[in-house]
Amino acid sequence: MDLLIKDRLMPKVPKTIEDLGEFGFIRSIANNCINNPEGVIQGIGDDCAVIGPFGEKVLLVTTDLLAESIHFLLDRIPPEHIGEKAIAVNLSDIAAMGGVPRHAFVSIALPLSFPVDVANALYKGIKGVCKRYGVNILGGDTSASPAGLFINIVVTGEAHKDKVVYRKGASIGEIVYVCGTLGESVAGLKILKGEIPARETQWPSLILAHTRPRPLVEEGSIIGTSGLASAMIDVSDGLVADLEHICEQSGVGAEIREELIPLSGELARLGERYHVDVMEYALMGGEDYCLLAAVPPDNAVQFEGLLEEKTGKRPTAIGKITRGSGVRFIGRDGKQRSLAKGGYDHFLK
Amino acid sequence: MDLLIKDRLMPKVPKTIEDLGEFGFIRSIANNCINNPEGVIQGIGDDCAVIGPFGEKVLLVTTDLLAESIHFLLDRIPPEHIGEKAIAVNLSDIAAMGGVPRHAFVSIALPLSFPVDVANALYKGIKGVCKRYGVNILGGDTSASPAGLFINIVVTGEAHKDKVVYRKGASIGEIVYVCGTLGESVAGLKILKGEIPARETQWPSLILAHTRPRPLVEEGSIIGTSGLASAMIDVSDGLVADLEHICEQSGVGAEIREELIPLSGELARLGERYHVDVMEYALMGGEDYCLLAAVPPDNAVQFEGLLEEKTGKRPTAIGKITRGSGVRFIGRDGKQRSLAKGGYDHFLK
């Protein structure tokens, strides 16, 4: 066998983190993590870990690490908004389990030359969001950084032990709902990065969707307490990628329909004006921080009514849970459309 | 008033994080952190936050952020040992509250070019320590890093609600005890950095004290459960700095005596051989991860006996809690010796 053929037949051995990719890396480290299963209800593999029960309650824990120039551009986004987003993404994870956020732990690494007023603005953003949602900051760590700003926030939350909504609970025939809108965050990012030649001031809600995402804290808690949803996740990697997470963990497939995907008026106008495929943004964009839930058909009317009553906004049914595996996307013509391999991977360029 | 005099009288306004220093920065951000005091027993200001109670139990939470070239040198220390240390320092914080560690959350930012085998070795170190102490890894986050490796680990622990040992509980007349030895870690670091011209292989326990510190998990839990200590902290910033933390939070002073400070044989030999002041290492060094506790005199015999019985090692009485504030260091001649402003500050060069 000559070397050339051997090279072709041999799977490439990943040598760097980039070769492996984020999901590959997570898979490679997510084994042998449980040494004492007592009190562990959910480990790695959902939006939060679930610990307990403590009486009737369980504790939810989530963490997100943000790195300068990977997750945010310090020169394009006000530091207060970076702080807001760093905590908001964690609150969204607590919401995605149906819980109520309680406490935050903020670790931050800063270059020695980092301006104090910028650091204060960052914390102002974090504290503003904490105040809005009644979340305490109970600790953290600070360190010098040899290069760039890093923020790692951990948020704990609470839920009733029987009311936690996992990714793994979806069943065939259930309806897939979205609370919130899709694709706006990535559109805002593309405007900020100059990839779409639009003026920031003319597309305020797209810019805000990216820089100041609102975590659906109230919605998540309402859904959890109601017991009406059987599976939930927040849309951080992108609608399709996150629905695939539900499918994978529930052992089901899903079908979503183009005509049902909610696009905001501003996003639709951006698409027409600059001839960009905003439906792709909605399907693949990521960082939307809406909630994606599977709801049994018998609960659907009550689910829609409850959210409309309590939040003023109806959730949008975008498809259903099916047999099989993976997500199928059905176009307006009724035909299945292919989906580019979706989701954002922090380790792929 | 001329400018020169005005400049002297005006406090310098800190413009960068370096001007402010780590403790100044922490002080500046540690306000307005409590928005909902329900269920908060201890916020910022101790080794762990304390949440609860949940029935008879409370939850302890701590977090440590380690940055490459600030906290560790990837080219001098095996990555497995870096992983071990990243989790060990958190276990030490749980021990310092008298708790039992339960779950860990590991966030890591890596350059794209980071070798997979080095990343695997890091996790091997983290998982090895977790296994030894029955700690689960229940989550975390991964990200690309624009430069350098960052590890943020959160550990949760448990304690009985009446058995948590805080920094703030020390009273005048109590005895100050140390479990473990002091100054070895900084000596090991100085050898590794070439600041002391000693060969690494000849001083194995000093090198190991720096690269593979053993958290006193068992000791911390024994002390907590016994109810014999009234205040405790782990020595991470340095003996004097950490004793000052106890003094500040308890509203007391302390006096420690040179002839009582425990120095290992290897450290004493290093001092003689290279004419370095190893007593200063013991007082100021940092990263010792021993436990420092204040114990009422009536409990002293039982405290020493219990630890000797259960761990084979007697704790060392090094001084006592006094009126006033701050730490006084009494030399062998009975006179007070001055202490350089102690402790390690990550934001000072």
Side-chain angles (χ1 to χ4, degrees):
Chain A
M1 194 186 283
D2 71 45
L3 252 177
L4 191 69
I5 291 175
K6 197 175 165 192
D7 271 349
R8 277 199 200 134
L9 290 178
M10 289 279 283
K12 189 184 171 198
V13 177
K15 288 198 176 145
T16 69
I17 292 297
E18 187 176 8
D19 297 339
L20 202 56
E22 184 174 14
F23 298 119
F25 181 56
I26 292 173
R27 265 193 300 275
S28 80
I29 57 179
N31 53 20
N32 299 323
C33 286
I34 302 297
N35 294 300
N36 176 3
E38 190 200 326
V40 179
I41 301 171
Q42 172 70 52
I44 293 171
D46 212 313
D47 292 281
C48 296
V50 184
I51 305 169
F54 304 99
E56 294 290 290
K57 280 181 186 171
V58 293
L59 191 87
L60 311 173
V61 186
T62 182
T63 182
D64 268 286
L65 171 62
L66 303 188
E68 182 177 344
S69 84
I70 307 291
H71 297 88
F72 57 85
L73 307 166
L74 250 184
D75 55 338
R76 298 308 315 276
I77 299 180
E80 194 174 334
H81 296 182
I82 293 170
E84 288 179 358
K85 189 165 173 175
I87 179 90
V89 299
N90 284 287
L91 300 186
S92 183
D93 282 322
I94 300 284
M97 305 295 286
V100 174
R102 293 298 323 277
H103 312 298
F105 300 84
V106 179
S107 292
I108 190 160
L110 298 163
L112 289 177
S113 60
F114 203 82
V116 168
D117 57 351
V118 177
N120 286 340
L122 263 174
Y123 272 89
K124 192 179 169 198
I126 295 170
K127 287 181 179 177
V129 170
C130 284
K131 191 172 181 185
R132 195 174 317 142
Y133 295 106
V135 171
N136 306 306
I137 300 176
L138 296 190
D141 197 9
T142 53
S143 170
S145 161
L149 166 66
F150 289 78
I151 310 173
N152 190 86
I153 300 186
V154 167
V155 173
T156 67
E158 288 176 3
H160 185 282
K161 67 182 171 57
D162 302 326
K163 300 287 192 179
V164 180
V165 191
Y166 298 90
R167 294 180 180 177
K168 62 191 167 199
S171 297
I172 295 162
E174 292 183 338
I175 300 170
V176 178
Y177 279 99
V178 168
C179 296
T181 52
L182 293 159
E184 294 189 295
S185 175
V186 73
L189 177 63
K190 283 176 184 284
I191 293 169
L192 284 168
K193 288 170 85 175
E195 291 176 16
I196 297 174
R199 284 172 60 185
E200 294 174 27
T201 48
Q202 305 225 314
W203 307 90
S205 74
L206 303 183
I207 302 295
L208 285 175
H210 183 70
T211 60
R212 307 184 76 181
R214 190 175 75 82
L216 301 184
V217 171
E218 197 191 351
E219 289 82 347
S221 163
I222 291 167
I223 294 170
T225 308
S226 76
L228 294 170
S230 56
M232 188 151 61
I233 192 169
D234 74 327
V235 179
S236 54
D237 294 330
L239 172 64
V240 171
D242 286 311
L243 185 50
E244 274 172 357
H245 291 318
I246 285 186
C247 289
E248 225 172 274
Q249 302 219 3
S250 302
V252 297
E255 186 182 284
I256 54 176
R257 305 190 72 90
E258 185 173 8
E259 73 271 19
L260 300 178
I261 305 292
L263 299 180
S264 73
E266 198 166 309
L267 184 62
R269 279 198 299 284
L270 184 87
E272 283 161 26
R273 176 101 171 255
Y274 294 98
H275 306 289
V276 288
D277 182 1
V278 291
M279 183 54 68
E280 196 192 319
Y281 294 179
L283 296 172
M284 301 297 183
E287 297 208 325
D288 296 306
Y289 302 109
C290 15
L291 294 174
L292 182 65
V295 175
D298 287 351
N299 295 348
V301 172
Q302 202 186 338
F303 182 80
E304 293 186 20
L306 178 72
L307 282 164
E308 184 165 33
E309 181 201 328
K310 301 247 187 184
T311 71
K313 282 182 189 156
R314 266 186 120 71
T316 311
I318 61 167
K320 61 184 184 197
I321 301 294
T322 64
R323 288 180 196 284
S325 65
V327 175
R328 285 170 303 284
F329 178 55
I330 310 296
R332 289 178 197 277
D333 56 3
K335 290 187 183 151
Q336 184 173 338
R337 282 177 53 184
S338 67
L339 290 165
K341 192 70 192 160
Y344 188 77
D345 187 320
H346 291 119
F347 291 142
L348 300 175
K349 276 184 185 162
Chain B
M1 192 187 285
D2 71 46
L3 252 176
L4 191 68
I5 291 174
K6 198 174 160 192
D7 271 348
R8 277 198 200 134
L9 290 177
M10 290 278 283
K12 188 185 173 197
V13 177
K15 288 198 174 142
T16 68
I17 292 297
E18 188 175 9
D19 298 339
L20 203 58
E22 183 173 16
F23 297 119
F25 182 57
I26 292 173
R27 266 193 300 275
S28 81
I29 55 178
N31 53 22
N32 299 322
C33 287
I34 302 297
N35 295 299
N36 177 4
E38 192 201 325
V40 179
I41 301 171
Q42 171 71 52
I44 293 171
D46 213 313
D47 292 282
C48 297
V50 184
I51 305 170
F54 303 100
E56 294 290 291
K57 281 182 185 172
V58 293
L59 192 87
L60 310 172
V61 186
T62 184
T63 180
D64 269 285
L65 171 61
L66 303 188
E68 182 178 344
S69 84
I70 307 289
H71 297 88
F72 57 85
L73 306 165
L74 251 183
D75 54 340
R76 297 308 313 277
I77 299 180
E80 193 174 335
H81 296 181
I82 294 170
E84 287 179 358
K85 189 166 175 176
I87 179 89
V89 299
N90 285 287
L91 300 186
S92 182
D93 283 322
I94 300 284
M97 306 294 286
V100 174
R102 291 300 321 278
H103 312 298
F105 300 83
V106 179
S107 291
I108 192 160
L110 298 163
L112 289 176
S113 59
F114 203 82
V116 168
D117 56 351
V118 177
N120 287 341
L122 264 174
Y123 272 89
K124 192 179 170 200
I126 295 170
K127 288 181 179 176
V129 171
C130 284
K131 190 170 182 189
R132 194 173 319 144
Y133 296 106
V135 171
N136 306 306
I137 299 175
L138 297 189
D141 198 9
T142 52
S143 170
S145 162
L149 167 65
F150 289 78
I151 310 174
N152 191 86
I153 299 187
V154 167
V155 173
T156 67
E158 288 176 1
H160 186 281
K161 68 184 170 56
D162 302 326
K163 301 286 192 179
V164 180
V165 191
Y166 298 91
R167 295 179 180 178
K168 63 191 168 199
S171 298
I172 296 161
E174 292 183 341
I175 300 170
V176 177
Y177 278 99
V178 168
C179 298
T181 52
L182 294 159
E184 294 189 295
S185 176
V186 72
L189 178 63
K190 282 176 186 285
I191 294 169
L192 284 169
K193 289 169 86 175
E195 292 175 16
I196 297 174
R199 282 171 63 182
E200 293 174 28
T201 47
Q202 306 225 313
W203 307 90
S205 75
L206 304 182
I207 301 296
L208 285 175
H210 183 70
T211 59
R212 308 184 77 180
R214 188 177 73 85
L216 301 186
V217 171
E218 196 190 353
E219 289 82 347
S221 164
I222 290 168
I223 294 169
T225 308
S226 77
L228 295 170
S230 55
M232 188 153 59
I233 192 169
D234 73 327
V235 179
S236 54
D237 294 330
L239 172 64
V240 171
D242 286 311
L243 185 51
E244 274 171 358
H245 292 317
I246 284 186
C247 289
E248 227 173 90
Q249 303 220 4
S250 301
V252 295
E255 187 182 285
I256 54 176
R257 306 190 72 90
E258 185 174 5
E259 74 270 20
L260 300 178
I261 306 292
L263 300 180
S264 72
E266 196 165 311
L267 185 61
R269 277 198 301 283
L270 184 86
E272 283 163 27
R273 174 101 172 254
Y274 295 97
H275 307 290
V276 289
D277 182 359
V278 291
M279 183 54 68
E280 197 192 318
Y281 294 179
L283 296 172
M284 301 299 184
E287 298 209 324
D288 295 307
Y289 302 108
C290 18
L291 294 174
L292 182 64
V295 176
D298 286 351
N299 294 349
V301 171
Q302 203 186 339
F303 182 80
E304 293 186 20
L306 179 70
L307 281 164
E308 185 166 30
E309 182 202 328
K310 299 247 187 182
T311 71
K313 281 182 191 159
R314 265 185 122 70
T316 311
I318 60 166
K320 62 184 181 197
I321 300 295
T322 64
R323 286 182 198 285
S325 64
V327 175
R328 285 171 305 286
F329 178 54
I330 310 296
R332 288 178 196 276
D333 56 5
K335 290 187 185 151
Q336 186 173 337
R337 281 177 54 183
S338 67
L339 289 166
K341 193 67 192 161
Y344 189 77
D345 187 320
H346 292 119
F347 291 143
L348 300 175
K349 274 180 184 164

